[in-house]
Amino acid sequence: MSSSVMRRGGRVKLASVGLVVVGSLALSACNGDDGTADKPVGGATPTSSAPSSAPSTKPSDPAADGGATGGGGATGGQAKAGQTFKIGEAAQFPFKYGTTKKGEIALTVDAIEKGDPADLAPLKLGDKASGKVPYYIRYTVKNVGTTNLEYASVSHMKGHLGDGTEAQSLLIVGNFAKCDSESLPQGFTNGKTQKGCAVALAPSAATKVASAEYWGDPFTMGEGIHWK
C-alpha cells in the first residue's frame, strides 16, 4: 500500500486509500516523529477483549478555553501523564510534532459516539470487522501557544473498553465520512481550533468503548491522559 501527501486548500490529506485494523502494539510504529503524516502498519491481527457492562459514555458541553475544572482534571497548569478528565474538559500541554514543530495545545474530547456495524461495510475489512462495533472519538484541538502548528498531526487517540482494556483502533488512510480527520490547517496559530476524530472498535455489541486516551508527545502509549 502506498500513499502520497497532497495539500488541498491549505490542508494536508493522504491521497491514496488504505484501511487497516491495528492492535495497540502496532500503533507504536505510527508516531509520525519524522514530521510526515502517520502511515498505517500492515499485517496486524485484531485481538478480542472480555465484554464489559460499563455504561456508554455520553457527551457533555465542552469546557471553556482554560484547563479542566473537575472530575479529577486539572484546575490550572498543564496536564500530567495518567490524569483523567471528563468528556468536554480541556487538557493543556506542550505539543511536539516531528523535529521542528513545537508549541502548546488544549485538547478536548467532545464525545465518544457509538456507531453502527454497517458503517464499516464500505471499508471492505472482511473478517477483521466481523461482530465489531465502531465508536467515534470526537475531539477538538486548540492552539494556545505562540507558534504556528500548521500541517502537524494530532492523531494519537485511542479508546478503552469499560473494563479498562484497550479497544482496537481503526487506522484510516484516505476519507471516511463517518469519522474524518485531517492534519492541522495552514496558518494554525494562537486561538485557532480544529476538529478531529478517531475510530475505536468494540469487540461486540455487548461491550462499549467507555473512555479515550491521548498518548502522543509528551506522553507515551499506556501513560497518556484520559477522558471518560
Side-chain angles (χ1 to χ4, degrees):
M1 177 172 59
S2 63
S3 62
S4 59
V5 177
M6 299 191 303
R7 293 185 180 179
R8 298 179 179 175
R11 296 187 179 185
V12 172
K13 288 188 70 74
L14 291 168
S16 61
V17 176
L19 302 164
V20 183
V21 179
V22 296
S24 59
L25 294 179
L27 285 172
S28 63
C30 301
N31 289 335
D33 289 338
D34 59 355
T36 61
D38 293 347
K39 297 180 179 179
V41 178
T45 301
T47 57
S48 61
S49 301
S52 169
S53 59
S56 178
T57 302
K58 303 291 185 180
S60 59
D61 293 335
D65 293 342
T69 56
T75 56
Q78 294 182 338
K80 306 295 184 183
Q83 196 166 359
T84 299
F85 298 83
K86 288 183 178 180
I87 301 292
E89 289 183 333
Q92 184 170 324
F93 52 88
F95 173 75
K96 180 180 178 182
Y97 181 76
T99 58
T100 59
K101 296 283 185 182
K102 295 181 181 180
E104 188 98 0
I105 64 172
L107 181 63
T108 305
V109 171
D110 303 310
I112 302 175
E113 298 176 357
K114 182 180 180 180
D116 191 294
D119 295 347
L120 302 175
L123 305 183
K124 303 184 185 304
L125 296 173
D127 292 341
K128 290 183 178 181
S130 179
K132 294 179 172 59
V133 180
Y135 281 76
Y136 306 123
I137 303 171
R138 304 194 186 280
Y139 56 92
T140 300
V141 181
K142 181 175 182 179
N143 189 342
V144 294
T146 59
T147 58
N148 186 353
L149 298 176
E150 62 186 8
Y151 309 134
S153 178
V154 185
S155 59
H156 294 75
M157 189 73 74
K158 64 182 178 179
H160 289 264
L161 305 178
D163 62 0
T165 58
E166 292 182 13
Q168 282 190 309
S169 297
L170 179 61
L171 182 60
I172 299 173
V173 179
N175 295 320
F176 181 42
K178 292 288 185 178
C179 191
D180 195 23
S181 189
E182 297 180 340
S183 298
L184 300 178
Q186 184 177 24
F188 196 78
T189 53
N190 181 269
K192 298 293 181 65
T193 61
Q194 166 92 338
K195 297 289 185 180
C197 183
V199 183
L201 299 177
S204 71
T207 307
K208 298 179 175 67
V209 175
S211 62
E213 178 185 0
Y214 177 78
W215 56 274
D217 198 306
F219 311 107
T220 58
M221 183 179 289
E223 299 180 3
I225 52 177
H226 304 259
W227 287 263
K228 62 182 181 179

